[in-house]
Amino acid sequence: MYRALSTGRQKGTPTLRRLLSALVIAEHDTQQVTPVTLSAITAAKRLGGDVSCLVAGTDCTKVAEELAKIQGVSKLFISQHESYKGFLPEELTPLVLEAQKKFNFTHICAGASAFGKSLLPRIAAKLDVAPVSDVIEIKSPDTFVRAIYAGNALCTVKCEESVKIFSIRGTSFEAAPASGGSASSDTVAPSAPVGLSEWLHQSLTKSDRPELTSAKVVVSGGRGLKSGDNFKLLYDLADQLNAAVGASRAAVDAGFVPNDMQVGQTGKIVAPEVYIAVGISGAIQHLAGMKDSKTIVAINKDPEAPIFQVADYGLVADLFKAVPEMTEIMKRK
Ligand SMILES: Cc1cc2nc3c(=O)[nH]c(=O)nc-3n(C[C@H](O)[C@H](O)[C@H](O)COP(=O)(O)OP(=O)(O)OC[C@H]3O[C@@H](n4cnc5c(N)ncnc54)[C@H](O)[C@@H]3O)c2cc1C
């Protein structure tokens, strides 16, 4: 269980911190560790104790090499087996439970990505503890801050569970340095395959543009674009800015663009250096996914649009005129 605290900063004693040990479950594609895993390592380091990483998959060689060099990771547990194909939570959970039984970690964490969101609740249920999701700040080893009500309120929770299981929001913790570490590694025997589900295949959208959640610049379009074809205006601008392209849910629901482009409460959470919202009204559910962006630019023909309340720069204009003009100016640079 966890209790909501209104205020209060609690730091663990040095003795307590020495006893702390966190396990970060690494998410990867057999080639590379995901950026949110690097953020999870940073969050785990903030707890003040030892940080270990568990990497499981069909082939972990490359990823294990990468993880061993990450600053702050002291131990690496590697488990390889065909049953880890597709990183199914049903197959990974017994492995994590085995590791927990053996090493008795005080904390288990991962990124609040689709991977972490499907795996951590299952582990928590099996250990009969309540997980804390989408943590944005670590106040102390048992006290975490998370956003509630679509990011409109921050809740400080004290977790009283014997093992604290939490997911972290990638945009709230910087990536752990990729070099300077020298973790020792151990091979862990894979758990017996569960066979509850089977991974068939995945089809990934191929794009030359930066990935939405890690791009430094994001150009997003809303219902104001009026059609999928008109998103070309945004792609042209994005090409000049080396930006990723996102969208509001209204644009996704209208079928203008696929739903992996959705930014917001029920989409992706982004916090780029620059976020350019084009023809987006600024509903709270959209703001929940982008309001931590360093600089927000809004282009909207309605001067009363709520997006202007969070924008650092606002342009009241018809997007069909303003966006091609911006693209032309950028081309001349
Ligand atoms: C449970 C729940 C979860 C949700 N999750 C999400 C989410 O994850 N992400 C999300 O985005 N939404 C989400 N929504 C939907 C959200 O409430 C809004 O409906 C949605 O964000 C609106 O999208 P929009 O701003 O593109 O459309 P609209 O609200 O229709 O706004 C379109 C804007 O375009 C402007 N415009 C029109 N024509 C032009 C033009 N020619 N030039 C310039 N500006 C123009 C208009 O002035 C208007 O401000 C969620 C809703 C619910 C209930």
Side-chain angles (χ1 to χ4, degrees), residues 221-226 247-253 256 262-268 275 278-289 299-307 315-321:
R223 191 161 17 213
L225 264 294
K226 297 196 168 50
S248 71
R249 176 158 155 184
V252 169
D253 287 352
F256 298 172
Q262 184 178 318
V263 171
Q265 184 189 340
T266 43
K268 290 184 175 155
Y275 186 87
V278 182
I280 291 179
S281 59
I284 52 161
Q285 295 90 352
H286 187 79
L287 301 187
I299 303 171
N300 199 303
K301 67 177 182 184
D302 175 8
E304 302 298 324
I307 190 79
L315 181 61
V316 179
D318 185 334
L319 72 91
F320 295 103
K321 192 166 175 291

Side-chain angles (χ1 to χ4, degrees), residues 38-330:
L38 301 181
S39 301
I41 292 170
T42 300
K45 282 200 291 193
R46 300 241 166 106
L47 297 165
D50 244 20
V51 177
S52 302
C53 261
L54 173 69
V55 53
T58 49
D59 178 6
C60 305
T61 325
K62 239 178 142 179
V63 179
E65 274 171 25
E66 185 188 346
L67 278 169
K69 290 187 208 138
I70 292 170
Q71 230 177 72
V73 179
S74 55
K75 189 147 201 144
L76 203 55
F77 298 105
I78 306 161
S79 192
Q80 295 193 160
H81 195 269
E82 269 309 293
S83 62
Y84 300 143
K85 194 163 125 193
F87 310 103
L88 298 173
E90 293 86 345
E91 299 296 343
L92 293 176
T93 301
L95 178 68
V96 180
L97 294 178
E98 277 299 313
Q100 177 58 15
K101 208 162 129 192
K102 201 162 162 197
F103 298 104
N104 208 11
F105 297 105
T106 53
H107 297 75
I108 299 177
C109 74
S113 57
F115 171 83
K117 284 178 187 173
S118 57
L119 180 59
L120 292 179
R122 183 173 278 266
I123 296 168
K126 291 281 185 189
L127 291 172
D128 197 22
V129 299
V132 185
S133 60
D134 216 9
V135 168
I136 58 169
E137 191 189 337
I138 310 261
K139 290 239 176 227
S140 78
D142 64 1
T143 309
F144 310 100
V145 181
R146 58 189 297 270
I148 54 171
Y149 300 121
N152 280 309
L154 298 182
C155 181
T156 303
V157 294
K158 183 170 172 157
C159 178
E160 294 175 338
E161 303 290 6
S162 51
V163 48
K164 289 143 187 68
I165 298 187
F166 63 97
S167 63
I168 62 99
R169 185 178 288 190
T171 53
S172 301
F173 299 90
E174 74 274 16
S179 60
S182 55
S184 62
S185 53
D186 252 2
T187 306
V188 180
S191 43
V194 177
L196 267 177
S197 51
E198 193 186 349
W199 186 85
L200 296 177
H201 74 279
Q202 66 180 15
S203 41
L204 296 172
T205 317
K206 285 206 174 67
S207 168
D208 294 334
R209 292 204 174 77
E211 203 269 317
L212 189 52
T213 52
S214 54
K216 289 206 161 38
V217 182
V218 172
V219 181
S220 272
R223 191 161 17 213
L225 264 294
K226 297 196 168 50
S227 76
D229 289 345
N230 289 337
F231 261 73
K232 173 150 191 333
L233 295 175
L234 303 192
Y235 295 129
D236 290 345
L237 178 61
D239 286 344
Q240 298 306 314
L241 299 167
N242 190 28
V245 179
S248 71
R249 176 158 155 184
V252 169
D253 287 352
F256 298 172
V257 287
N259 70 355
D260 60 356
M261 286 171 64
Q262 184 178 318
V263 171
Q265 184 189 340
T266 43
K268 290 184 175 155
I269 309 264
V270 300
E273 298 291 325
V274 182
Y275 186 87
I276 306 176
V278 182
I280 291 179
S281 59
I284 52 161
Q285 295 90 352
H286 187 79
L287 301 187
M290 46 61 78
K291 69 177 165 37
D292 289 335
S293 305
K294 310 286 173 297
T295 302
I296 298 173
V297 179
I299 303 171
N300 199 303
K301 67 177 182 184
D302 175 8
E304 302 298 324
I307 190 79
F308 288 125
Q309 287 168 21
V310 296
D312 300 286
Y313 298 95
L315 181 61
V316 179
D318 185 334
L319 72 91
F320 295 103
K321 192 166 175 291
V323 175
E325 279 177 10
M326 284 169 73
T327 308
E328 275 315 306
I329 292 168
M330 293 304 301

